[in-house]
Every structure is written in structure tokens, then in C-alpha cells.
Amino acid sequence: MTANVSQTPPASPTPSPLHAVVADDFDAVNRTIVAQLNSKVPLVETIGQYIIESGGKRLRPLLVLLAARSLGYQGDKHITLATLIEFMHTSTLLHDDVVDESHMRRGKKTANDAWGNAPSVLVGDFLYSRSFQMMVDVGSMRIMAILSGATCVIAEGEVLQLTNIGNPSISEADYFETIQGKTAMLFEAASHSGAVLADATPEQERALQYYGRYLGLAFQLIDDLLDYQGDAEAMGKNVGDDLAEGKPTLPLIHAMERGTPEQAKLIRQVIRKGGLEQLDEVLEIINATGALEYTRARAVEMADKALAELDALPPSPYRDSMANIARLAVDRKA
């Protein structure tokens, strides 16, 4: 049975003041998502709709809308741009879940768990391809250069993360290089391309580019913190998933640096083999070394940098929403 995506709009984020200032634009993005998911292959529509409807805050398309509107943009191409950014993000989720062999995301089965790895990868490829078709519709070579460059950086970040799995020797600098590629780059591309679309001044363009970068770093730092402190039901995944996969995130890196030789040795062993058999011992070390407090402090540092970049923009409700996003990025519980 074919999913009738043309009649069912994708689930919208829970209404909030962040979305309220661009509510009409956001509705238009949802309608465009439906239209652009159209395919003559039913499984493409089915999986595409499933992953799009899995929830999430849709922060990346929201950044496009807010960045463009904050600089007075009055056209309609920001709708297309926001939609294609969401498609790029959704594609990375499909690919990530296959690579990570994930079974749950946002409290639902992952697409690879429901349909298998091959369909998930191929639908991810479809969404990437569709996003590039939409870039052509936007009609800006500068934006195409930003987004095509971003896709390469994101792919490199994912490969870097993959090569670091099971490696307890990566440094904090290595970690930041990884999360800049795999997470922060798309935040940066979203706000940067929105600025270019709105004909920003060089100062404003740079400010919105770096706002997105710092916001993305803060967002990923809190994600990695919540893996050891979060509520499994609220997050839609299990506490300790990163440890189970052998991912050396900042809480573990800091705990190894600040812990005793015996504590560092235990964490190194757990990273190498993965699994959750020693989760309680690792959590005890993380808490004893202040690793979560340190990770949060670095996230707050990044959020403060993002806020500082907004000084280059004129006062507006759109700028206020971007500031609130930076604050909420470090205060969230999921």
C-alpha cells in the first residue's frame, strides 16, 4: 500500500515562540516538504515521510528562515532553501542510523530497522539528490557553493567519527574537529546560506556563518553530555548508547585526562571493546572527574560565542529567536 504523502503534511514541531515569528514560513516549508517528497517509487515516499514525521525541532530549516528574515528578506526562495536543508539533514540521519546500526531514534524504530539498510541508504541518496535539485531552483551559485562544500565536510566528519570508534587516544581537538564536520557544519550552512540569500553585508554574513557554527557545536556538546545524564524516554534513545558504540566523546576524553591512571585505563578498555557491561563504573568516573560539568561549560562557551555574533544584526524578533535558540541549546533535556 502506497503512503499518500501528498495528502498528509509532515508532523510539525511543537509550537513555540522560536517558531512563532516565522509561523507562516514554517507552514510553507511543511507544504514544500510534502511536495518534494513526491516520487514514482512508493517506497521512497513511505520511508521519506516516515523519517520526516519522526519529530525533532527542525532547527536547521528554522535557522534559514530566521537568518533571512532578520536581514529583511521579502522573497520566497527561503522556503525552498529551508526545505532542502531539512532534506540534507534527514539524509544524514538515514545514513547515520545504518552506519551506527541504530534501532531507535526519537522513540521510534529507525528506518533501517523497519525496512532494512539498503532501502534506507538509497532513500537517503534520493533526499540528497532532491536537495541538489532544489538548490538549482534557489538560483544562487554562492549558496550552491556553500551547501555543496558543506556536504563534503559533513561526509568527512562522519568518516572521521567512524575511524575514531574504539580509539581512546583522540584528543579534545580531534573531537572538536569531528563534531564541527558531522554536526556544526549543517547549522553553519543553514544560517550562512540564509544570510547570502538576504544579500547580507560581509560583516553580517560572517556573523551568521559563525553563529551557526558555534550553535551547532553547543548543540552536539549537550547531545554528548545527555548520553550520560539524559532521560531515555525524553531523548528517544538509551543512556550510554555512545559508550556502547565505543565513541570517545568529550565526557570520556575529559574523564581520562582528569582521572587516576586506573580510571583512565578502565575507560580506554571500555572504548576499545564497546558495550555497557561497565556503564556504572564509567558513570562513576565521569561524575568524580567533573566531566559532565566540563562538557556543559564548553557548550555554554560556544553558545555565548553564538550570541555575541548576533550583535552584527539589527534588533528584531527574528534576532531574538536566534538568541533564544542559543540559550535553549544548552538548557535542553533531550
Side-chain angles (χ1 to χ4, degrees), residues 252-316:
L252 295 181
I253 294 169
H254 185 78
M256 285 188 287
E257 289 178 352
R258 293 301 179 94
T260 65
E262 293 76 16
Q263 290 172 328
K265 179 180 179 181
L266 185 146
I267 292 178
R268 284 197 298 270
Q269 290 172 341
V270 174
I271 289 173
R272 287 193 185 102
K273 71 177 183 179
L276 295 174
E277 292 83 1
Q278 294 174 287
L279 175 61
D280 289 343
E281 294 168 82
V282 171
L283 288 175
E284 184 177 332
I285 297 169
I286 284 174
N287 290 324
T289 55
L292 296 183
E293 291 82 358
Y294 178 76
T295 302
R296 182 173 294 280
R298 293 307 311 270
V300 170
E301 176 190 347
M302 295 301 123
D304 286 345
K305 286 185 175 183
L307 286 167
E309 296 293 346
L310 295 178
D311 290 343
L313 305 183
S316 72

Side-chain angles (χ1 to χ4, degrees), residues 20-307:
V21 295
V22 286
D24 291 343
D25 287 344
F26 220 77
D27 286 343
V29 169
N30 283 327
R31 292 193 298 272
T32 306
I33 287 173
V34 172
Q36 293 294 336
L37 275 175
N38 179 61
S39 170
K40 64 183 180 182
V41 180
L43 188 59
V44 169
E45 293 187 347
T46 299
I47 295 178
Q49 179 169 325
Y50 180 84
I51 189 69
I52 289 285
E53 287 187 343
S54 292
K57 303 173 184 67
R58 297 207 185 127
L59 286 179
R60 296 153 191 83
L62 178 60
L63 292 182
V64 174
L65 302 177
L66 292 172
R69 290 299 197 190
S70 73
L71 297 175
Y73 182 72
Q74 295 298 315
D76 60 7
K77 290 185 178 179
H78 63 315
I79 304 301
T80 302
L81 181 56
T83 304
L84 75 87
I85 288 283
E86 180 67 2
F87 276 22
M88 289 173 65
H89 175 57
T90 303
S91 175
T92 65
L93 297 184
L94 285 163
H95 290 162
D96 288 353
D97 285 341
V98 170
V99 171
D100 295 341
E101 299 180 1
S102 299
H103 301 288
M104 185 171 69
R105 179 180 287 278
R106 299 169 184 158
K108 292 176 62 175
K109 274 188 172 185
T110 56
N112 52 295
D113 194 63
W115 285 277
N117 287 341
S120 295
V121 170
L122 295 173
V123 172
D125 292 345
F126 168 84
L127 291 174
Y128 248 139
S129 302
R130 181 54 55 84
S131 72
F132 273 83
Q133 286 183 319
M134 297 171 73
M135 283 181 215
V136 176
D137 293 338
V138 172
S140 166
M141 284 301 296
R142 282 213 60 215
I143 289 175
M144 185 171 286
I146 290 166
L147 297 182
S148 59
T151 61
C152 292
V153 174
I154 293 165
E156 288 173 338
E158 293 292 351
V159 174
L160 190 57
Q161 177 175 263
L162 183 64
T163 60
N164 286 335
I165 288 177
N167 177 13
S169 300
I170 75 164
S171 66
E172 185 171 320
D174 295 331
Y175 165 81
F176 271 94
E177 181 184 1
T178 300
I179 67 171
Q180 162 61 23
K182 84 179 201 68
T183 299
M185 189 68 239
L186 193 53
F187 280 83
E188 176 181 327
S191 54
H192 189 191
S193 58
V196 171
L197 185 67
D199 294 324
T201 66
E203 181 190 9
Q204 291 169 335
E205 182 183 325
R206 182 200 171 281
L208 280 168
Q209 176 185 358
Y210 280 85
Y211 164 82
R213 177 181 300 184
Y214 294 134
L215 176 65
L217 291 172
F219 192 87
Q220 186 60 53
L221 282 159
I222 294 298
D223 258 13
D224 292 344
L225 179 154
L226 289 174
D227 195 64
Y228 295 98
Q229 191 182 58
D231 180 288
E233 185 175 348
M235 292 190 299
K237 67 173 190 174
N238 296 316
V239 173
D241 275 357
D242 288 347
L243 184 67
E245 295 168 16
K247 291 181 180 177
T249 57
L250 189 57
L252 295 181
I253 294 169
H254 185 78
M256 285 188 287
E257 289 178 352
R258 293 301 179 94
T260 65
E262 293 76 16
Q263 290 172 328
K265 179 180 179 181
L266 185 146
I267 292 178
R268 284 197 298 270
Q269 290 172 341
V270 174
I271 289 173
R272 287 193 185 102
K273 71 177 183 179
L276 295 174
E277 292 83 1
Q278 294 174 287
L279 175 61
D280 289 343
E281 294 168 82
V282 171
L283 288 175
E284 184 177 332
I285 297 169
I286 284 174
N287 290 324
T289 55
L292 296 183
E293 291 82 358
Y294 178 76
T295 302
R296 182 173 294 280
R298 293 307 311 270
V300 170
E301 176 190 347
M302 295 301 123
D304 286 345
K305 286 185 175 183
L307 286 167

